[in-house]
Amino acid sequence: MSTVLKALLQQRHLQTVSAFNKEYDRLARRVDPDLVGCGPKKAQFYRWLSGTITGLPYPHHCQILQAMFPDRSVQELFAPHTGSIEDLGSEPRLQAQAGHPTCSHRTADVEAVYTDRTIFVHAMPPQAMFSSARSIDLVGISLNILCQQYSDKDIFRLLKSGTAIRCLFLDPAGGSIEHREQEEGHPPGTLSSLTELNIRALQRVQRQAMLETTGSIQIRIYDEPVRFNVTIVDDQLCVMQPYLPRARGVESPAFVARRSSNEGIFNTFKSVFDSMWASGIEADQ
């Protein structure tokens, strides 16, 4: 058995471990210089090509693979591939047309669904999603995907490259966050304290960035029943997670959609973000 990754690397003449790791290091210098020299060993690399792995690679490998193949998810890269190298690019479209003529209509623009946030982050780590982003829009409660799972150093690097970031937090002093704490079974102040911490941490980066970078961070808050966590990257990729009743956010499924010419959920949740952002108020410094 072989993987989609193997076929794609053959297309680029990167199917040997030495050639692959040269490309790995080239991308690492741009994405995260600390990863230079961290490419897979020979045995590990050929397990990737043959598909004899039990799960996805470590997050830092996923980060580089996502930069290497930005149009494909890491999960897709490790899917089995039985066709020729030449038909790889058209295979998904042809299968949909031949076997499932209404498939694209049923799935709209959704390209992946993950059963919970942990699985989603492993498959699509923020380091990979945000590494070369020109714009990032987020709305939710505490926005941990940026504030806890992405370092200040990496945020600052994005801002130096000109990235525009808009963050819409649930008001840590509002009534809606109290209601959500009760619904999730947290002691009073649990979510509000975390959200306040994340806002202050991001404001610290914001103050430094105003003096030293061309990018920007805008921070607003809202106070209304929380329904969705939405992340939009480059106005092209949308990750949506519903907030389920009596369940923590990490237990919610994640839906990944990509803007297309067909009507889909990307446009729906882009409108959700835009309307909520317009009614949000600037967070106090």
Side-chain angles (χ1 to χ4, degrees):
M1 184 179 73
S2 64
T3 59
V4 170
L5 176 64
K6 180 178 180 179
L8 291 171
L9 292 177
Q10 286 175 330
Q11 285 182 335
R12 300 187 184 186
H13 306 290
L14 298 174
Q15 65 269 33
T16 66
V17 66
S18 59
F20 176 84
N21 279 330
K22 285 180 182 178
E23 179 67 4
Y24 187 107
D25 287 346
R26 185 186 72 81
L27 292 169
R29 291 186 186 95
R30 173 169 61 84
V31 173
D32 185 348
D34 291 341
L35 297 181
V36 173
C38 294
K41 303 300 182 184
K42 185 175 182 179
Q44 182 184 22
F45 176 69
Y46 288 111
R47 285 197 298 272
W48 287 6
L49 301 191
S50 65
T52 54
I53 55 177
T54 57
L56 294 178
Y58 289 117
H60 67 278
H61 289 321
C62 291
Q63 182 179 1
I64 301 301
L65 286 168
Q66 193 72 71
M68 195 177 294
F69 301 102
D71 294 332
R72 297 179 183 267
S73 69
V74 175
Q75 194 171 44
E76 182 184 358
L77 292 176
F78 290 93
H81 176 66
T82 56
S84 67
I85 299 173
E86 290 75 16
D87 68 11
L88 183 65
S90 61
E91 183 182 63
R93 179 179 59 83
L94 292 174
Q95 286 182 349
Q97 290 176 347
H100 302 281
T102 61
C103 181
S104 61
H105 173 73
R106 293 201 308 269
T107 59
D109 53 0
V110 175
E111 65 178 34
V113 180
Y114 300 94
T115 54
D116 61 44
R117 188 175 298 174
T118 301
I119 295 173
F120 159 71
V121 170
H122 183 67
M124 298 182 65
Q127 291 77 13
M129 274 204 308
F130 299 153
S131 63
S132 58
R134 305 305 300 165
S135 67
I136 303 171
D137 294 334
L138 306 102
V139 58
I141 300 178
S142 305
L143 309 187
N144 288 331
I145 193 170
L146 180 71
C147 300
Q148 295 290 327
Q149 297 167 5
Y150 206 68
S151 70
D152 288 1
K153 178 187 73 173
D154 285 334
I155 295 174
F156 196 77
R157 176 184 57 78
L158 286 175
L159 296 172
K160 287 187 71 173
S161 70
T163 304
I165 302 174
R166 295 189 293 177
C167 296
L168 187 56
F169 293 88
L170 191 61
D171 186 354
S176 295
I177 203 165
E178 292 182 7
H179 182 269
R180 186 61 192 176
E181 286 173 340
Q182 295 169 6
E183 190 169 44
E184 291 190 17
H186 293 302
T190 302
L191 292 178
S192 58
S193 296
L194 174 60
T195 303
E196 182 73 22
L197 175 68
N198 286 352
I199 290 173
R200 297 308 173 206
L202 208 56
Q203 286 175 332
R204 183 179 65 249
V205 178
Q206 181 187 44
R207 287 191 292 270
Q208 183 181 4
M210 290 174 63
L211 302 175
E212 304 179 33
T213 73
T214 58
S216 63
I217 300 179
Q218 297 181 67
I219 303 170
R220 296 183 183 181
I221 57 174
Y222 69 104
D223 185 16
E224 59 185 71
V226 60
R227 299 179 177 90
F228 304 106
N229 180 310
V230 177
T231 300
I232 298 173
V233 180
D234 288 338
D235 206 24
Q236 295 294 320
L237 181 72
C238 173
V239 180
M240 185 280 290
Q241 294 179 282
Y243 286 105
L244 303 178
R246 294 176 293 281
R248 294 188 304 151
V250 295
E251 297 166 348
S252 299
F255 299 82
V256 181
R258 195 175 296 273
R259 182 191 286 275
S260 72
S261 57
N262 297 323
E263 187 66 26
I265 71 169
F266 179 93
N267 291 334
T268 299
F269 288 99
K270 178 68 166 64
S271 296
V272 167
F273 176 84
D274 288 343
S275 63
M276 294 182 69
W277 179 258
S279 61
I281 61 173
E282 187 173 350
D284 293 334
Q285 294 289 330

